[in-house]
């Protein structure tokens, strides 16, 4: 298999790339990041640069990777704003700039990756497109409110991938597109919000990556368009 991980310099992204490279059925893992640092190194890895906010760079990266791609994982995301503020605890903290920034990273960027990577997926065999989402992006599961920009941007991502799955099913009968909840992972993104998380529910990136790949291995085209948690449970939109 030829695989690509967008966001391979992050904790979960790097762990996913390493886990894929360790598999005997994987020949190449294309690892993407904004800069050259932080991505895994090794014989199976092929680095590409991309800017999640720049569609031209995404298109150029996909052209560099080339076809076929059997698995595409989008491990990008942002919980707080680039200035360190957020997530919002009350609606009075919502701003246009904050919403725009998180939608750009959590929703629009992955959608543009999907736009340019779909032509690289084979039509004659199984192919997987998966993007990291979050349980808090579930409308039906929302009991606490708050975190408005993050919740809304991840809910929008879930909807876009559902749309993608429907379209993909018309041309790629064996393919699937899903969103994934990785659990609470011990990374820089979650570090300020780990208080109260019990040790057994705070995952290392490697544990989360292994669980997510196991979930993907067990899915069929009938599961396309859904949101799955790290333990394989479907999360309602």
């Amino acid at each position: 298999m030829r695989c690509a991980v967008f966001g391979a310099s992050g904790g979960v992204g790097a762990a996913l790339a390493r886990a894929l490279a360790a598999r005997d059925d994987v020949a190449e893992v294309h690892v993407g990041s904004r800069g050259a640092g932080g991505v895994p190194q090794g014989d199976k890895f092929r680095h590409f640069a991309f800017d999640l906010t720049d569609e031209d760079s995404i298109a150029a990266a996909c052209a560099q990777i080339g076809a076929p791609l059997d698995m595409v994982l989008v491990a990008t995301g942002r919980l707080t704003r680039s200035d360190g503020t957020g997530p919002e605890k009350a609606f009075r903290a919502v701003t246009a700039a904050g919403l725009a920034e998180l939608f750009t990273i959590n929703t629009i960027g992955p959608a543009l990756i999907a736009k340019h990577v779909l032509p690289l997926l084979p039509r004659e065999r199984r192919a997987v497109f998966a993007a990291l989402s979050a349980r808090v992006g579930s409308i039906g599961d929302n009991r606490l409110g708050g975190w408005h920009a993050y919740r809304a941007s991840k809910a929008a991502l879930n909807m876009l991938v559902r749309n993608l799955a429907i379209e993909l099913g018309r041309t790629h009968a064996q393919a699937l597109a899903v969103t994934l909840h990785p659990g609470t992972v011990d990374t820089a993104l979650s570090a300020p919000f780990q208080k109260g998380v019990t040790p057994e529910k705070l995952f290392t990136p490697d544990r989360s990556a292994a669980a997510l790949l196991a979930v993907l291995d067990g899915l069929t085209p009938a599961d396309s368009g859904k949101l799955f948690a790290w333990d394989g449970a479907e999360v309602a939109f």
Side-chain angles (χ1 to χ4, degrees), residues 31-80:
V31 287
S33 64
R34 189 165 187 169
V39 296
Q41 305 293 320
D43 292 341
K44 289 187 179 181
F45 295 116
R46 311 286 186 270
H47 178 255
F48 65 92
F50 79 104
D51 182 343
L52 196 62
T53 66
D54 181 352
E55 183 175 359
D56 288 342
S57 81
I58 294 171
C62 291
Q64 175 187 330
I65 296 168
L69 266 181
D70 300 286
M71 182 176 291
V72 179
L73 304 178
V74 182
T76 56
R78 180 173 293 166
L79 175 55
T80 58

Side-chain angles (χ1 to χ4, degrees), residues 76-97:
T76 56
R78 180 173 293 166
L79 175 55
T80 58
R81 294 185 60 186
S82 55
D83 63 4
T85 59
E88 312 94 341
K89 295 181 179 179
F91 229 86
R92 62 178 176 272
V94 171
T95 65

Side-chain angles (χ1 to χ4, degrees), residues 12 16 73-76 79 129-138 141 147 150-151 154-155 157-158 161 177-187 189-190 193 197 200-205 207-216 219 225-237:
V12 178
L16 285 166
L73 304 178
V74 182
T76 56
L79 175 55
F129 176 93
L132 293 191
S133 185
R135 186 181 296 276
V136 297
S138 165
D141 194 60
W147 291 29
Y150 186 71
R151 283 185 187 273
K154 289 296 189 179
L157 173 63
N158 294 336
V161 174
V178 295
T179 45
L180 300 170
H181 167 55
T184 302
V185 186
D186 189 10
T187 63
L189 183 145
S190 69
F193 310 100
V197 179
E200 66 272 12
K201 292 187 177 180
L202 182 62
F203 301 157
T204 65
R207 179 185 175 189
S208 177
L212 293 177
L213 291 178
V215 170
L216 291 177
L219 299 181
K226 300 176 181 179
L227 167 62
F228 291 95
W230 60 273
D231 58 358
E234 182 182 348
V235 181
F237 279 3

Side-chain angles (χ1 to χ4, degrees), residues 162 165 173-178 218-226 228 234:
R162 172 70 67 87
Q174 300 180 57
L176 60 127
V178 295
L219 299 181
T220 72
D223 298 310
S224 194
K226 300 176 181 179
F228 291 95
E234 182 182 348

